[in-house]
Amino acid sequence: TFDDNLAESARLGGYFAALADFPKPVVARLHGGVYGGGVGFACACDIAVAGDDAKFGLTEVRLGILPGLISPYVLRRLGDARARELMLTGERFAAVEALRVGLVHHVVPSAELDAKVDERVAELLKGGPEAQARIKALLVRYAETPWQAYRDSLPRTLAEVRSGEEARDGLASFLEKRKPRWMA
């Protein structure tokens, strides 16, 4: 029924929003068939790593439906021009094409997929977790705020971050040539 579809859509949309809004960085590990919602999942993550065996497609149109719930994340990642063609055709494409259009950040041989994901996670763990959460919020604000208001908000944002405990420890650790507490 319509009401059942509405409830299911709201529930599923909540999953994508929770993933995209999660304050910690999220890495997608992609292999095999990544179609429809799988592409939405990849786009809702911060970093997407694909095996060279992965195949992608926004195939909803071929089922007579549309990529509605995932469209905010797909559009944010790909932009209108790239998303438009892929959404309207529903065509499938290889991982190298996903890399070319900006859907994924890295493509590696499938046997090296776990190692590349581990590498990305290790790099993320070097960053301050509060700073990473603030960066994610900053990127959302950039997308939603007029340019001048965004630019005008940056001195206060930076001052707030710099006066925090994590930043003080991070700057001190740099000067003292030691690892910051979040890496200890």
Side-chain angles (χ1 to χ4, degrees):
T1 68
F2 174 83
D3 290 337
D4 292 338
N5 275 303
L6 182 58
E8 174 64 16
S9 294
R11 185 180 64 77
L12 187 55
Y15 292 151
F16 285 108
L19 181 61
D21 297 342
F22 193 69
K24 306 288 185 200
V26 180
V27 180
R29 179 189 181 279
L30 308 164
H31 65 95
V34 184
Y35 303 115
V39 171
F41 169 80
C43 291
C45 292
D46 299 299
I47 299 172
V49 181
D52 59 1
D53 69 333
K55 302 284 186 232
F56 296 83
L58 291 158
T59 55
E60 290 89 343
V61 70
R62 295 188 178 188
L63 301 172
I65 58 176
L66 66 154
L69 297 174
I70 64 172
S71 65
Y73 315 106
V74 173
L75 288 164
R76 180 177 65 187
R77 176 71 55 88
L78 301 180
D80 178 80
R82 289 186 176 126
R84 181 177 298 265
E85 180 178 19
L86 296 173
M87 286 179 174
L88 289 171
T89 64
E91 65 189 300
R92 295 174 184 205
F93 50 97
V96 293
E97 179 66 6
L99 180 65
R100 188 188 72 74
V101 300
L103 197 151
V104 300
H105 299 93
H106 305 277
V107 174
V108 297
S110 294
E112 298 171 23
L113 184 56
D114 288 336
K116 186 64 174 181
V117 169
D118 290 345
E119 172 205 293
R120 295 290 77 210
V121 170
E123 290 300 316
L124 288 166
L125 290 172
K126 293 176 184 177
E130 291 174 26
Q132 289 170 334
R134 294 291 297 254
I135 289 167
K136 289 182 73 163
L138 187 74
L139 294 169
V140 170
R141 186 179 343 142
Y142 171 78
E144 297 175 348
T145 307
W147 171 251
Q148 188 64 44
Y150 172 77
R151 195 173 76 180
D152 290 349
S153 74
L154 296 177
R156 178 173 195 78
T157 300
L158 186 56
E160 289 171 354
V161 171
R162 283 183 177 172
S163 64
E165 184 178 325
E166 183 179 273
R168 285 194 306 267
D169 179 56
L171 292 170
S173 71
F174 173 76
L175 295 172
E176 297 165 7
K177 299 185 183 340
R178 63 170 173 82
K179 288 184 179 180
R181 287 189 188 110
W182 65 81
M183 290 182 61

